[in-house]
């Protein structure tokens, strides 16, 4: 393989030119093949995607910008999979995607620019797209929820689009697609829309404040048909029929989600959906017979305290309503995505069920906003039943391979849940944040021993520096020097260098995850950012990270400072680790590119590198 003419006279670091990128991809692809790498996943929250035009203050994977970001990460880091965290409905008060709806997609996900296209019937005009909502955001690296949920925000724009949609001829392609969508999603879409009609009728999104009849419309599976008929006539402040409008929003979101997935797939990138274990108030309301009436999912938050965070399915009804709800939830996931990551999967194997505390009819919270409760004395024992008979059954039905079902077994009752699922063919998720001689270390997982975390076959687990709930890697290296010992030994690197250099430690942590077949990293870690996505058990400042609009420059500038995923360096170190520390012609090529990307002072975008004609 011939390298470009610059390889013998490199004296400064910079972004790669277009020509060099092609060669870089060939070299890194060869390295990945030699290492047997199957899947490199980038965890990208929708809100983190930048917007190159008409920025409303929040990103979406439904946009062309997401496609461009994915293409960049595939070229520079070998990313062939994107994990998209939950895409359900949120609000300005409840911003966590892990508190969203199980079935309905969030209206904030919709790319309004597309509604100006012919395929969408021109539901929004060019003038609409110049509204204050689409133009007033000035800070592009932090999510602006206030703008998204403002009076003239996302909902107001979609109401305009719906008013025009209503006027379309019933024989129009878009109206026919809408009718088909409602039929195919009858299990959930009307119920979710009826919830919104009941919220309008009661003047509150909090169903606990509604009149008793409306709270319990679906106390029985068939529902209160008389009241349902009345709610179907409710109109919103814009004069739209609420039920029909809400179903329209879901139709548009579903259409864009399918289009986006198809475009990612064309790039050779799989899309994994993140399925939260929790359920929203809307899920609970529409499928009440599948849940405990008062008990909730919970978790230990220390000091003998338990946090209650979601209505809990009634595990005594797995052969009935609860089993049907779970099956339909996962069936929809496997229709929407190429694979699934199940958040806190131990709650489906060895769950923790709590009863919320009450103080004169009010929930009790701690200073961090955690709803407190007591752990029930008798906990349900589920084992592999839900994963095997519901989740994997839904995967099989939709043609999704079992190793594309990833189970997050971190925290909670994870250790006690391993035995139930280790032989089912699913992929287990691990992180190296707490890496040491045992947990968090690739060689430990793949070595023979009596620990439940050992004896893992490469490809049966995936590993990364941390999830969305962990410190970013640039913070981990501030306190992670204790990892230098095992990394030095496993990767044949200098111990003192790893102890004393944050850059060297960061690069070693990335390199280790490429010594096995599947690995992942969050977008901030890949780009070299210190910003955090979420701090568990807190409510302020979370879920606000966005990549800058000029993320290419950010990435190359951070690489020049020794931050971020320099994949050439990581792959070279991983190959050497497999070869007992010995290099080769391939590692020489990788290290050539790693040096280009590391040293400062050169052009920091490919466009700038091309203008300098560096290949002449």
């Amino acid at each position: 393989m011939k390298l470009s003419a610059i390889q013998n006279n490199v004296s400064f670091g910079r972004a790669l030119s277009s020509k060099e990128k092609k060669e870089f991809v060939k070299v890194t692809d060869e390295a990945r093949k030699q290492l047997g790498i199957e899947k490199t996943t980038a965890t990208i929250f929708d809100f983190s995607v930048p917007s190159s035009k008409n920025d409303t203050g929040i990103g979406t994977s439904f946009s062309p910008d997401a496609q461009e970001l994915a293409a960049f990460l595939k070229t520079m880091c070998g990313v062939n999979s994107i994990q998209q965290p939950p895409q359900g409905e949120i609000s300005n008060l409840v911003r966590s995607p892990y508190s969203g709806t199980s079935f309905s997609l969030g209206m904030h996900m919709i790319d309004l620019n597309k509604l100006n296209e012919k395929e969408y019937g021109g539901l929004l005009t060019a003038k609409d797209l110049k509204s204050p909502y689409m133009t007033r955001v000035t800070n592009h690296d932090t999510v602006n929820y206030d703008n998204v949920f403002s009076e003239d925000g996302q909902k107001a724009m979609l109401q305009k689009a719906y008013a025009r949609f209503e006027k379309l001829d019933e024989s129009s392609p878009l109206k026919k697609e809408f009718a088909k969508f409602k039929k195919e999603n009858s299990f959930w879409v009307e119920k979710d829309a009826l919830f919104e009609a009941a919220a309008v009728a009661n003047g509150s999104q909090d169903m606990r404040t509604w009149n008793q009849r409306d709270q319990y419309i679906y106390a029985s599976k068939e529902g209160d048909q008389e009241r349902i008929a009345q709610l179907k006539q409710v109109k919103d402040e814009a004069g739209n029929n609420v039920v029909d409008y809400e179903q329209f929003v879901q139709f548009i979101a579903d259409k864009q989600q399918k289009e986006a997935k198809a475009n990612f797939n064309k790039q050779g990138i799989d899309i994994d959906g993140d399925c939260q274990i929790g359920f929203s108030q809307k899920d609970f309301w529409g499928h009440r017979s599948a849940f405990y009436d008062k008990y909730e999912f919970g978790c230990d938050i220390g000091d003998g305290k338990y946090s209650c965070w979601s209505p809990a399915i009634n595990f005594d009804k797995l052969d009935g309503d609860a089993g049907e709800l779970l099956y339909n939830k996962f069936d929809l996931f496997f229709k929407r995505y190429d694979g699934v990551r199940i958040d806190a999967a131990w709650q489906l194997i060895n769950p923790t069920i709590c009863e919320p505390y009450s103080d004169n009819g009010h929930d009790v919270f701690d200073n961090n906003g955690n709803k407190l409760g007591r752990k029930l004395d008798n906990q349900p024992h589920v084992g592999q039943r839900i994963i095997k008979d519901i989740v994997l059954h839904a995967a099989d039905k939709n043609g999704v391979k079992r190793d594309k079902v990833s189970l997050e077994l971190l925290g909670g009752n994870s250790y006690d849940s391993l035995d139930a699922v280790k032989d089912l063919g699913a992929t287990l998720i691990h992180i190296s944040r707490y890496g040491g001689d045992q947990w968090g270390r690739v060689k430990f997982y793949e070595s023979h021993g009596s620990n439940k975390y050992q004896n893992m076959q490469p490809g049966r687990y995936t590993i990364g520096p941390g999830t969305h709930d962990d410190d970013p890697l640039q913070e981990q290296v501030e306190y992670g020097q204790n990892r230098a010992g095992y990394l030095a030994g496993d990767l044949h690197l200098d111990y003192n260098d790893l102890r004393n250099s944050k850059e060297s430690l960061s690069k070693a942590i990335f390199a280790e995850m490429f010594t096995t077949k599947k690995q992942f990293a969050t977008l901030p870690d890949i780009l070299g950012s210190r910003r955090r996505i979420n701090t568990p058990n807190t409510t302020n400042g979370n879920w606000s990270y966005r990549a800058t609009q000029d993320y290419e420059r950010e990435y190359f500038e951070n690489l020049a400072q020794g931050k971020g995923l320099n994949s050439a360096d990581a792959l070279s170190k991983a190959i050497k680790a497999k070869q007992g520390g010995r290099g080769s012609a391939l590692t020489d090529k990788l290290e050539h590119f790693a040096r280009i990307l590391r040293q400062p002072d050169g052009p920091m975008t490919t466009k700038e590198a091309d203008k300098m004609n560096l290949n002449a």
Side-chain angles (χ1 to χ4, degrees):
M1 188 178 298
K2 185 179 178 182
L3 294 176
S4 59
I6 64 160
Q7 72 166 322
N8 294 320
N9 59 10
V10 173
S11 59
F12 54 84
R14 53 178 174 74
L16 301 179
S17 68
S18 297
K19 183 176 180 180
E20 288 171 320
K21 273 188 177 180
K22 292 179 181 178
E23 190 171 7
F24 174 83
V25 169
K26 290 180 181 178
V27 172
T28 52
D29 280 354
E30 183 180 344
R32 292 169 62 85
K33 183 177 181 181
Q34 181 170 318
L35 288 164
I37 292 172
E38 296 175 353
K39 185 175 181 178
T40 300
T41 299
T43 300
I44 305 177
F45 282 75
D46 286 278
F47 55 71
S48 297
V49 174
S51 300
S52 58
K53 66 174 184 177
N54 297 332
D55 187 6
T56 63
I58 197 166
T60 173
S61 62
F62 299 172
S63 69
D65 295 290
Q67 300 293 327
E68 292 177 10
L69 174 61
F72 178 79
L73 295 176
K74 184 179 183 184
T75 296
M76 295 308 304
C77 303
V79 168
N80 56 11
S81 170
I82 291 177
Q83 177 208 309
Q84 295 177 333
Q87 297 180 316
E89 295 174 345
I90 58 171
S91 71
N92 203 13
L93 294 176
V94 183
R95 299 173 176 181
S96 168
Y98 292 91
S99 298
T101 47
S102 294
F103 297 96
S104 286
L105 295 168
M107 69 170 182
H108 64 287
M109 298 288 304
I110 293 173
D111 181 1
L112 296 175
N113 296 296
K114 290 185 177 180
L115 299 188
N116 180 236
E117 298 172 1
K118 184 177 179 181
E119 183 184 354
Y120 286 87
L123 297 179
L124 289 179
T125 67
K127 183 179 179 181
D128 292 330
L129 298 179
K130 293 179 181 178
S131 71
Y133 170 57
M134 306 289 286
T135 58
R136 64 177 162 236
V137 170
T138 56
N139 181 7
H140 303 289
D141 63 1
T142 298
V143 181
N144 190 326
Y145 289 100
D146 290 339
N147 191 54
V148 174
F149 292 103
S150 62
E151 280 192 15
D152 62 347
Q154 191 83 350
K155 183 176 180 180
M157 296 293 286
L158 289 170
Q159 286 175 330
K160 281 185 182 181
Y162 173 71
R164 294 187 182 119
F165 174 77
E166 268 200 310
K167 295 176 182 179
L168 293 178
D169 189 275
E170 292 302 318
S171 63
S172 67
L174 208 59
K175 281 287 183 77
K176 289 181 178 179
E177 284 184 57
F178 182 45
K180 182 181 178 184
F181 166 78
K182 288 191 290 185
K183 183 178 180 181
E184 291 177 348
N185 294 275
S186 58
F187 176 77
W188 64 272
V189 70
E190 184 177 271
K191 284 184 177 180
D192 279 15
L194 282 165
F195 178 94
E196 297 298 331
V200 170
N202 287 275
S204 171
Q205 284 287 321
D206 185 351
M207 59 162 275
R208 294 170 299 181
T209 67
W210 299 353
N211 67 69
Q212 283 291 104
R213 185 179 186 184
D214 284 356
Q215 285 190 47
Y216 288 89
I217 284 175
Y218 285 105
S220 62
K221 194 171 181 179
E222 61 275 8
D224 182 340
Q225 291 299 311
E226 181 183 31
R227 183 56 177 155
I228 288 171
Q230 293 170 353
L231 290 176
K232 286 182 178 180
Q233 305 305 313
V234 172
K235 294 188 177 183
D236 62 21
E237 70 280 2
N240 298 318
N241 179 283
V242 174
V243 172
D244 202 48
Y245 162 76
E246 292 292 338
Q247 291 182 101
F248 161 78
V249 170
Q250 290 308 308
F251 160 61
I252 295 296
D254 181 79
K255 180 177 172 66
Q256 291 195 0
Q257 192 277 332
K258 286 184 171 70
E259 290 170 354
K261 177 180 173 296
N263 288 329
F264 284 121
N265 290 166
K266 285 178 184 177
Q267 292 195 58
I269 296 174
D270 282 349
I271 298 300
D272 291 344
D274 194 346
C275 185
Q276 76 270 30
I277 289 303
F279 292 89
S280 69
Q281 207 177 80
K282 181 177 286 188
D283 301 326
F284 175 75
W285 178 83
H287 308 275
R288 195 166 197 138
S289 59
F291 293 88
Y292 295 118
D293 191 41
K294 295 181 179 179
Y295 301 152
E296 298 190 4
F297 282 130
C299 62
D300 187 343
I301 57 174
D303 297 326
K305 296 179 180 179
Y306 285 84
S307 172
C308 303
W309 45 268
S310 162
I313 57 168
N314 189 333
F315 289 95
D316 294 328
K317 295 184 177 182
L318 289 179
D319 289 326
D321 294 347
E324 181 185 30
L325 174 65
L326 285 174
Y327 179 80
N328 279 286
K329 178 176 180 174
F330 284 102
D331 183 54
L332 182 61
F333 254 79
F334 290 121
K335 285 181 171 66
R336 284 177 172 167
Y337 308 103
D338 297 303
V340 63
R341 172 193 182 271
I342 303 180
D343 184 62
W346 52 271
Q347 287 281 22
L348 297 181
I349 303 164
N350 192 18
T352 297
I353 306 299
C354 298
E355 181 179 24
Y357 292 133
S358 177
D359 182 10
N360 293 321
H362 298 285
D363 294 328
V364 178
F365 295 87
D366 67 11
N367 292 333
N368 289 319
N370 295 302
K371 184 164 73 169
L372 302 178
R374 72 172 188 89
K375 181 181 177 182
L376 298 186
D377 295 332
N378 297 315
Q379 296 289 312
H381 297 281
V382 185
Q384 65 175 216
R385 183 179 175 188
I386 293 176
I387 303 297
K388 182 179 180 181
D389 297 340
I390 295 178
V391 177
L392 295 179
H393 177 55
D396 294 342
K397 179 204 165 191
N398 286 282
V400 176
K401 293 182 179 179
R402 293 188 170 198
D403 66 353
K404 289 190 175 183
V405 177
S406 298
L407 308 179
E408 190 211 26
L409 293 178
L410 303 171
N413 295 329
S414 294
Y415 190 79
D416 294 332
S417 301
L418 273 172
D419 289 336
V421 296
K422 225 175 177 184
D423 63 344
L424 295 181
T427 296
L428 303 178
I429 298 171
H430 294 280
I431 59 173
S432 59
R433 175 183 173 187
Y434 303 105
D437 292 335
Q438 297 189 22
W439 198 90
R441 179 186 183 191
V442 168
K443 280 205 169 183
F444 177 77
Y445 294 142
E446 296 182 7
S447 65
H448 297 291
S450 59
N451 191 290
K452 291 182 182 182
Y453 286 116
Q454 291 181 290
N455 310 309
M456 291 191 183
Q457 293 296 314
R460 284 294 178 228
Y461 75 98
T462 183
I463 191 167
T467 70
H468 56 273
D469 288 332
D470 294 299
D471 294 335
L473 183 56
Q474 289 306 308
E475 284 191 15
Q476 291 182 37
V477 295
E478 302 282 347
Y479 59 78
Q481 291 83 356
N482 59 311
R483 297 158 74 173
Y486 81 86
L487 286 170
D490 293 350
L491 299 177
H492 299 275
L493 299 173
D494 182 82
Y495 170 73
N496 288 322
D497 183 37
L498 296 183
R499 283 284 301 174
N500 298 317
S501 168
K502 296 181 181 65
E503 176 182 344
S504 296
L505 183 60
S506 172
K507 288 182 174 179
I509 291 169
F510 274 131
E512 189 208 13
M513 73 185 199
F514 282 102
T515 62
T516 193
K517 290 185 176 182
K518 294 180 180 179
Q519 56 284 142
F520 70 92
T522 64
L523 183 61
D525 282 350
I526 292 172
L527 296 181
S529 173
R530 286 182 64 93
R531 293 185 61 192
R532 186 165 182 156
I533 297 173
N534 175 52
T535 302
N537 302 321
T538 63
T539 55
N540 295 324
N542 292 335
W543 317 113
S544 62
Y545 164 78
R546 290 189 82 187
T548 63
Q549 290 179 322
D550 198 1
Y551 56 83
E552 180 186 8
R553 184 180 299 277
E554 176 191 10
Y555 174 71
F556 286 122
E557 285 180 348
N558 281 337
L559 288 190
Q561 298 174 42
K563 303 172 185 177
L565 174 53
N566 185 328
S567 63
D569 178 86
L571 291 168
S572 175
K573 285 182 169 63
I575 290 173
K576 286 184 174 181
K578 297 280 189 179
Q579 298 175 165
R582 298 185 302 277
S584 63
L586 179 56
T587 60
D588 287 345
K589 295 172 185 176
L590 290 165
E591 288 167 7
H592 158 74
F593 282 111
R595 286 192 297 272
I596 290 177
L597 296 168
R598 169 60 183 95
Q599 297 301 320
D601 300 329
M604 289 301 168
T605 68
T606 292
K607 186 176 181 180
E608 291 174 0
D610 288 343
K611 282 184 177 180
M612 292 181 68
N613 196 22
L614 293 165
N615 298 295

